[in-house]
Amino acid sequence: MIDRTGLAEFLLRRREALQPEDVGLTRGQRRRTSGLRREEVAVLCHMSTDYYARIERGTGPQPSEQMIASIAQGLHLSVEERDHLFRLAGHHPPARGASSDHISPGLLRILDRLQDTPAEIVTELGETLRQSPLGIALTGDTTHFAGPHRSLGYRWFADPSSRALYAPDEHPFLARLWVSGLREVATRRGPSSRAAQLAEALLEQSAEFRSLWELHEIGVRPRETKHFVHSELGDLELSCQTLIDPAQSHFLLVYTASPGTESYEKLQLLSVIGSQQLR
């Protein structure tokens, strides 16, 4: 059963504890609210202000599991706080660990501060959970995919058009990288895991995947330098730095270019183009 009073009080206290800069928002000069405003939380949670306000007042309908997950992420809750929120709303908490899409508050705080840098948070299966604005400008919004297509490795073989973002001479290596990585994850997570299911699906669909899978290649690792092909700016050579959250098996990928290079200048231009596209 939903605990409306407990849910309302918990949401209120978590909202009051957060400051705009904690979640990547700008603090206005005339701001009087001690914590976040309801409308700000609603934007972070991808829902209407009225819907969120009704939940916080204890007068709204029982929120769905999807809504609770969105609120937990928007409020930057820890896994323990997320589980508590689910129970207050009358739902069983989702699984923790590698199968979870809940991003840790620490990783989110870092991403929130990378507004002028291409960055993204991905799962061990290459599923994009969150992107910085410049990350979207670089690769497009890759958070909207559903089902197996959420995985870039799956799209690489099931949808060849996904390869257009990467330099053609990198394609053979990237194909080996995805197959090797998927085999490692499937072995680690077991035959009933999502990784194993992705492999089974690709074995049926892609002859290229089958040929690489049969090699049993293990240990192929990403190169630090990535070669992107942007639809408007052309080739970009970017360094990729990775921060790992071992508890959730999530990876924060940050892309930078060496100052003084052509790619560095293109990234500066991309920040302008990306802002125009987002508006």
mmCIF file of all heavy atoms in Angstrom, residues 65 79 82-87 91-96:
data_model
loop_
_atom_site.group_PDB
_atom_site.id
_atom_site.type_symbol
_atom_site.label_atom_id
_atom_site.label_comp_id
_atom_site.label_asym_id
_atom_site.label_seq_id
_atom_site.Cartn_x
_atom_site.Cartn_y
_atom_site.Cartn_z
ATOM 1 N N GLU A 65 5.744 2.729 -11.280
ATOM 2 C CA GLU A 65 7.150 2.427 -11.030
ATOM 3 C C GLU A 65 8.050 3.288 -11.911
ATOM 4 O O GLU A 65 9.123 3.728 -11.474
ATOM 5 C CB GLU A 65 7.415 0.940 -11.286
ATOM 6 C CG GLU A 65 6.700 0.015 -10.321
ATOM 7 C CD GLU A 65 7.014 -1.444 -10.587
ATOM 8 O OE1 GLU A 65 7.859 -1.704 -11.465
ATOM 9 O OE2 GLU A 65 6.438 -2.303 -9.913
ATOM 10 N N VAL A 79 20.993 4.709 -3.949
ATOM 11 C CA VAL A 79 20.244 3.467 -4.160
ATOM 12 C C VAL A 79 19.366 3.169 -2.948
ATOM 13 O O VAL A 79 18.223 2.728 -3.095
ATOM 14 C CB VAL A 79 21.206 2.297 -4.449
ATOM 15 C CG1 VAL A 79 20.428 0.990 -4.558
ATOM 16 C CG2 VAL A 79 21.986 2.541 -5.734
ATOM 17 N N ARG A 82 16.473 5.504 -3.084
ATOM 18 C CA ARG A 82 15.575 5.075 -4.162
ATOM 19 C C ARG A 82 14.697 3.918 -3.712
ATOM 20 O O ARG A 82 13.477 3.911 -3.937
ATOM 21 C CB ARG A 82 16.396 4.642 -5.377
ATOM 22 C CG ARG A 82 15.555 4.159 -6.553
ATOM 23 C CD ARG A 82 16.301 3.188 -7.431
ATOM 24 N NE ARG A 82 16.614 1.931 -6.760
ATOM 25 C CZ ARG A 82 17.173 0.887 -7.368
ATOM 26 N NH1 ARG A 82 17.493 0.961 -8.641
ATOM 27 N NH2 ARG A 82 17.426 -0.220 -6.683
ATOM 28 N N ASP A 83 15.292 2.925 -3.058
ATOM 29 C CA ASP A 83 14.523 1.771 -2.587
ATOM 30 C C ASP A 83 13.468 2.202 -1.576
ATOM 31 O O ASP A 83 12.330 1.704 -1.583
ATOM 32 C CB ASP A 83 15.457 0.731 -1.960
ATOM 33 C CG ASP A 83 16.345 0.056 -2.994
ATOM 34 O OD1 ASP A 83 16.160 0.301 -4.199
ATOM 35 O OD2 ASP A 83 17.237 -0.718 -2.590
ATOM 36 N N HIS A 84 13.836 3.128 -0.689
ATOM 37 C CA HIS A 84 12.893 3.649 0.295
ATOM 38 C C HIS A 84 11.732 4.343 -0.396
ATOM 39 O O HIS A 84 10.558 4.173 -0.011
ATOM 40 C CB HIS A 84 13.621 4.617 1.235
ATOM 41 C CG HIS A 84 12.762 5.213 2.300
ATOM 42 N ND1 HIS A 84 12.182 4.467 3.306
ATOM 43 C CD2 HIS A 84 12.363 6.507 2.518
ATOM 44 C CE1 HIS A 84 11.488 5.251 4.103
ATOM 45 N NE2 HIS A 84 11.574 6.488 3.636
ATOM 46 N N LEU A 85 12.035 5.120 -1.436
ATOM 47 C CA LEU A 85 11.000 5.830 -2.191
ATOM 48 C C LEU A 85 10.039 4.844 -2.847
ATOM 49 O O LEU A 85 8.815 5.052 -2.829
ATOM 50 C CB LEU A 85 11.653 6.724 -3.241
ATOM 51 C CG LEU A 85 10.712 7.591 -4.081
ATOM 52 C CD1 LEU A 85 10.046 8.641 -3.217
ATOM 53 C CD2 LEU A 85 11.482 8.268 -5.223
ATOM 54 N N PHE A 86 10.566 3.781 -3.428
ATOM 55 C CA PHE A 86 9.715 2.774 -4.051
ATOM 56 C C PHE A 86 8.763 2.157 -3.024
ATOM 57 O O PHE A 86 7.574 1.960 -3.294
ATOM 58 C CB PHE A 86 10.566 1.685 -4.701
ATOM 59 C CG PHE A 86 10.846 1.917 -6.162
ATOM 60 C CD1 PHE A 86 11.870 2.761 -6.564
ATOM 61 C CD2 PHE A 86 10.075 1.305 -7.140
ATOM 62 C CE1 PHE A 86 12.125 2.982 -7.906
ATOM 63 C CE2 PHE A 86 10.315 1.512 -8.490
ATOM 64 C CZ PHE A 86 11.345 2.361 -8.876
ATOM 65 N N ARG A 87 9.275 1.850 -1.852
ATOM 66 C CA ARG A 87 8.434 1.219 -0.821
ATOM 67 C C ARG A 87 7.356 2.177 -0.336
ATOM 68 O O ARG A 87 6.205 1.768 -0.107
ATOM 69 C CB ARG A 87 9.316 0.743 0.327
ATOM 70 C CG ARG A 87 10.275 -0.387 -0.063
ATOM 71 C CD ARG A 87 11.006 -0.955 1.141
ATOM 72 N NE ARG A 87 11.931 -2.007 0.738
ATOM 73 C CZ ARG A 87 13.239 -1.836 0.602
ATOM 74 N NH1 ARG A 87 13.791 -0.632 0.843
ATOM 75 N NH2 ARG A 87 14.014 -2.833 0.224
ATOM 76 N N HIS A 91 5.577 0.099 -4.109
ATOM 77 C CA HIS A 91 6.173 -0.766 -5.122
ATOM 78 C C HIS A 91 7.391 -1.494 -4.548
ATOM 79 O O HIS A 91 8.025 -1.021 -3.594
ATOM 80 C CB HIS A 91 6.624 0.056 -6.336
ATOM 81 C CG HIS A 91 5.519 0.782 -7.031
ATOM 82 N ND1 HIS A 91 4.452 0.142 -7.620
ATOM 83 C CD2 HIS A 91 5.312 2.121 -7.218
ATOM 84 C CE1 HIS A 91 3.634 1.044 -8.162
ATOM 85 N NE2 HIS A 91 4.135 2.248 -7.924
ATOM 86 N N HIS A 92 7.716 -2.616 -5.154
ATOM 87 C CA HIS A 92 8.941 -3.315 -4.802
ATOM 88 C C HIS A 92 10.116 -2.611 -5.478
ATOM 89 O O HIS A 92 10.049 -2.287 -6.666
ATOM 90 C CB HIS A 92 8.895 -4.774 -5.255
ATOM 91 C CG HIS A 92 7.899 -5.613 -4.512
ATOM 92 N ND1 HIS A 92 8.042 -5.924 -3.180
ATOM 93 C CD2 HIS A 92 6.740 -6.188 -4.915
ATOM 94 C CE1 HIS A 92 7.024 -6.668 -2.785
ATOM 95 N NE2 HIS A 92 6.211 -6.831 -3.825
ATOM 96 N N PRO A 93 11.206 -2.361 -4.760
ATOM 97 C CA PRO A 93 12.371 -1.720 -5.375
ATOM 98 C C PRO A 93 12.939 -2.576 -6.496
ATOM 99 O O PRO A 93 12.923 -3.805 -6.419
ATOM 100 C CB PRO A 93 13.376 -1.612 -4.221
ATOM 101 C CG PRO A 93 12.547 -1.717 -2.978
ATOM 102 C CD PRO A 93 11.401 -2.627 -3.323
ATOM 103 N N PRO A 94 13.430 -1.953 -7.554
ATOM 104 C CA PRO A 94 14.047 -2.721 -8.652
ATOM 105 C C PRO A 94 15.394 -3.288 -8.221
ATOM 106 O O PRO A 94 15.928 -2.954 -7.158
ATOM 107 C CB PRO A 94 14.217 -1.679 -9.756
ATOM 108 C CG PRO A 94 14.252 -0.369 -9.040
ATOM 109 C CD PRO A 94 13.389 -0.510 -7.827
ATOM 110 N N ALA A 95 15.928 -4.140 -9.065
ATOM 111 C CA ALA A 95 17.205 -4.788 -8.761
ATOM 112 C C ALA A 95 18.329 -3.766 -8.708
ATOM 113 O O ALA A 95 18.289 -2.731 -9.367
ATOM 114 C CB ALA A 95 17.505 -5.848 -9.816
ATOM 115 N N ARG A 96 19.332 -4.086 -7.917
ATOM 116 C CA ARG A 96 20.525 -3.259 -7.843
ATOM 117 C C ARG A 96 21.603 -3.846 -8.752
ATOM 118 O O ARG A 96 21.441 -4.916 -9.305
ATOM 119 C CB ARG A 96 21.048 -3.186 -6.411
ATOM 120 C CG ARG A 96 20.092 -2.575 -5.408
ATOM 121 C CD ARG A 96 20.788 -2.370 -4.081
ATOM 122 N NE ARG A 96 19.901 -1.836 -3.067
ATOM 123 C CZ ARG A 96 20.324 -1.335 -1.914
ATOM 124 N NH1 ARG A 96 21.632 -1.314 -1.648
ATOM 125 N NH2 ARG A 96 19.467 -0.859 -1.030
#
